[in-house]
């Protein structure tokens, strides 16, 4: 559909409220360089995610950045995403940082990505210490890739369970330190679950079945079905007289009683 007759048909369907026809018409017009006309077509369509996303792309193509910015400020997720990418592409990092600090999580994620791309560990660490979860999620793998285990241990000691998880994956001999993290608890139920899972695997593989069982039982009591499966297997194993010393107790790991 790219001749005048087809465009007339699409226009008629768009005027009747057909979003798909209207978006197709707008794309054809934009392909012909008639971007402002395409924008007018999209503006007249009934609202919808695809319509909003196309409008944002056309506005950016036409240079109407301020309107996209206003949409982002008003909470439009698509506008936030496009604006964050545009600011990063244009090297407007101060603007990106401002959006992030204003609470725009999309801009926050893109800004954190930019920090990772430029190896800005100190700033990522400062933002993590200030409670920025996005920066924490970006920082921990970066530290792991660079082998900075001591930094990971510091974060883990401060209650960052994700740091503890990465420390365990990066340096598998840190089982006791990982157990300490589990005992101390953490705010993220799912991350702590992954950590517990890995600890149970490692302890069981090293013949410490009763220690593994203590961890699994604690996690199972929090409502974790995978841990409950470990409990069944480990109870059978320990009942068969697995050789090891006394198990270290693992008190409540800051659990929530049931999974979220």
């Amino acid at each position: 559909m790219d001749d005048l007759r087809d465009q007339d048909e699409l226009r008629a369907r768009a005027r009747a409220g057909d979003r798909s026809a209207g978006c197709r018409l707008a794309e054809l017009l934009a392909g012909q360089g008639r971007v402002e006309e395409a924008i007018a077509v999209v503006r007249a369509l009934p609202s919808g995610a695809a319509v909003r996303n196309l409008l944002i792309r056309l506005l950016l193509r036409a240079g109407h950045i301020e309107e996209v910015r206003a949409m982002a400020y008003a909470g439009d997720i698509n506008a936030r995403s496009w604006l964050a990418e545009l600011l990063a592409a244009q090297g407007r990092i101060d603007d990106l940082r401002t959006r992030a600090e204003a609470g725009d999580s999309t801009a926050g994620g893109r800004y954190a990505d930019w920090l990772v791309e430029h190896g800005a560990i100190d700033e990522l660490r400062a933002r993590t210490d200030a409670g920025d979860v996005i920066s924490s999620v970006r920082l921990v793998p970066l530290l792991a890739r660079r082998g900075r285990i001591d930094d990971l241990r510091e974060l883990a000691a401060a209650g960052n369970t994700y740091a503890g998880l990465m420390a365990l994956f990066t340096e598998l001999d840190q089982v006791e330190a990982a157990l300490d993290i589990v005992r101390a608890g953490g705010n993220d139920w799912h991350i702590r679950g992954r950590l517990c899972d890995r600890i149970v695997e490692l302890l069981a593989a090293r013949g410490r079945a009763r220690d593994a069982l203590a961890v699994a039982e604690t996690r199972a009591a929090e409502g974790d079905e995978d841990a409950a499966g470990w409990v069944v297997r480990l109870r059978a194993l320990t009942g068969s007289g697995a050789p090891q010393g006394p198990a270290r107790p693992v008190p409540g790991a800051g659990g929530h009683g049931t999974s979220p």
Side-chain angles (χ1 to χ4, degrees):
M1 285 191 178
D2 57 359
D3 59 22
L4 292 177
R5 181 181 301 174
D6 289 335
Q7 286 189 25
D8 286 344
E9 181 182 342
L10 286 171
R11 196 179 300 275
R13 287 165 55 190
R15 285 173 178 161
D18 186 329
R19 290 192 189 97
S20 296
C23 289
R24 177 64 180 141
L25 175 61
E27 288 168 348
L28 287 173
L29 293 171
Q32 296 167 1
R34 298 157 65 183
V35 181
E36 294 294 347
E37 189 176 346
I39 289 173
V41 169
V42 176
R43 288 192 195 279
L45 293 173
S47 182
V51 171
R52 289 195 304 275
N53 196 37
L54 178 56
L55 176 60
I56 291 164
R57 288 195 286 115
L58 292 171
L59 289 170
L60 289 173
R61 181 170 170 179
H64 300 313
I65 296 173
E66 290 308 315
E67 183 172 349
V68 176
R69 188 190 300 275
M71 293 170 69
Y73 286 1
D76 187 294
I77 295 175
N78 286 331
R80 285 182 174 183
S81 179
W82 281 101
L83 181 60
E85 288 302 325
L86 179 65
L87 293 174
Q90 293 180 343
R92 296 166 61 181
I93 305 306
D94 287 342
D95 289 341
L96 193 60
R97 182 190 298 113
T98 298
R99 292 287 307 141
E101 291 175 351
D104 183 337
S105 59
T106 304
R110 190 62 191 86
Y111 180 57
D113 287 339
W114 183 88
L115 291 174
V116 170
E117 290 162 13
H118 291 78
I121 289 178
D122 289 344
E123 184 169 353
L124 281 168
R125 179 61 187 269
R127 294 175 69 82
T128 295
D129 290 345
D132 181 23
V133 175
I134 294 174
S135 292
S136 172
V137 169
R138 301 296 198 280
L139 172 64
V140 168
L142 179 59
L143 292 173
R145 286 196 300 273
R146 296 195 174 189
R148 294 177 60 164
I149 306 302
D150 288 342
D151 289 326
L152 288 171
R153 286 201 193 98
E154 270 185 36
L155 288 171
N160 188 322
T161 52
Y162 186 50
L165 177 68
M166 292 300 296
L168 181 65
F169 284 167
T170 308
E171 195 174 60
L172 296 183
D173 287 335
Q174 299 301 309
V175 179
E176 299 305 326
L179 277 169
D180 289 340
I181 294 167
V182 174
R183 292 188 184 96
N187 294 326
D188 192 315
W189 192 88
H190 296 286
I191 288 174
R192 200 170 67 254
R194 291 170 60 197
L195 182 59
C196 288
D197 228 27
R198 188 60 175 150
I199 292 170
V200 169
E201 280 187 271
L202 288 173
L203 289 173
R206 293 175 185 189
R208 296 176 57 184
R210 281 193 290 177
D211 282 339
L213 176 59
V215 176
E217 285 178 334
T218 296
R219 181 66 181 174
E222 294 179 333
D224 188 321
E225 294 181 3
D226 291 337
W230 271 110
V231 168
V232 172
R233 295 193 296 275
L234 290 167
R235 281 180 177 166
L237 180 60
T238 54
S240 66
Q244 67 170 51
R248 291 177 62 184
V250 181
H256 305 294
T258 58
S259 62

